[in-house]
Amino acid sequence: MLGERIGEGRGRVTTQRVLPSLGGGPKMETSFQSSGSLLGVADTETGTYVAVVRPDGSLFGEGQGITMSRDGDVLSWVGQGVGTLQKGGAVSYRGAVYCQTTSPKWARLNSLAVLFEFEVDSDGNTRGEFFEWK
């Protein structure tokens, strides 16, 4: 069951590059930076994901990132999601990330699957929302 909203972030794509597809669909690596909050703690996030276009036109992505608070708390995450291409090159993803941290502020995330909605518009602006999976 989708639980409470535990975070959000807005930012920008910082770099993209095309990767060898090795016989599969087109593959793109995207990095982004965002600012927002997680469990009520203001944060900045840097992440990179690789997305592959599947034969049906949908996207499959895998990524990793680091989230930091203004007080020096650090959290790392890995995740996967599926998505769709939108008009103008925008993308929309849904998936889950798994966190690891020693920060007491974010420690409960170590034992959760955090569900996400992640959007990138045609200008490279990002928007993410994060939910506890109960």
Side-chain angles (χ1 to χ4, degrees), residues 20-82:
S21 64
L22 305 174
K27 186 185 288 189
M28 175 88 66
E29 178 184 84
T30 301
S31 293
F32 66 93
Q33 292 183 323
S34 66
S35 298
S37 67
L38 187 59
L39 293 179
V41 178
D43 68 42
T44 58
E45 177 183 24
T46 301
T48 299
Y49 62 90
V50 174
V52 175
V53 179
R54 300 190 294 188
D56 67 357
S58 66
L59 302 170
F60 175 76
E62 296 183 287
Q64 61 278 324
I66 296 174
T67 303
M68 294 181 282
S69 77
R70 293 180 181 145
D71 294 330
D73 302 282
V74 178
L75 174 145
S76 62
W77 58 264
V78 297
Q80 295 181 322
V82 294

Side-chain angles (χ1 to χ4, degrees), residues 9 18 36 38 42 44 61 72 75 88 96 101 122-123 129 131:
V18 176
L38 187 59
T44 58
L75 174 145
T101 185
S122 58
D123 293 322
E129 291 186 280
F131 303 87

Side-chain angles (χ1 to χ4, degrees), residues 60-134:
F60 175 76
E62 296 183 287
Q64 61 278 324
I66 296 174
T67 303
M68 294 181 282
S69 77
R70 293 180 181 145
D71 294 330
D73 302 282
V74 178
L75 174 145
S76 62
W77 58 264
V78 297
Q80 295 181 322
V82 294
T84 58
L85 290 168
Q86 311 290 313
K87 289 185 177 184
V91 294
S92 177
Y93 288 97
R94 304 294 183 265
V97 297
Y98 307 94
C99 303
Q100 183 174 329
T101 185
T102 58
S103 166
K105 296 174 187 174
W106 291 328
R108 77 181 182 109
L109 299 176
N110 287 329
S111 60
L112 295 179
V114 177
L115 301 180
F116 69 83
E117 297 179 356
F118 186 76
E119 314 282 336
V120 182
D121 70 18
S122 58
D123 293 322
N125 299 301
T126 66
R127 182 185 63 80
E129 291 186 280
F130 310 100
F131 303 87
E132 178 179 359
W133 188 6
K134 291 186 175 198

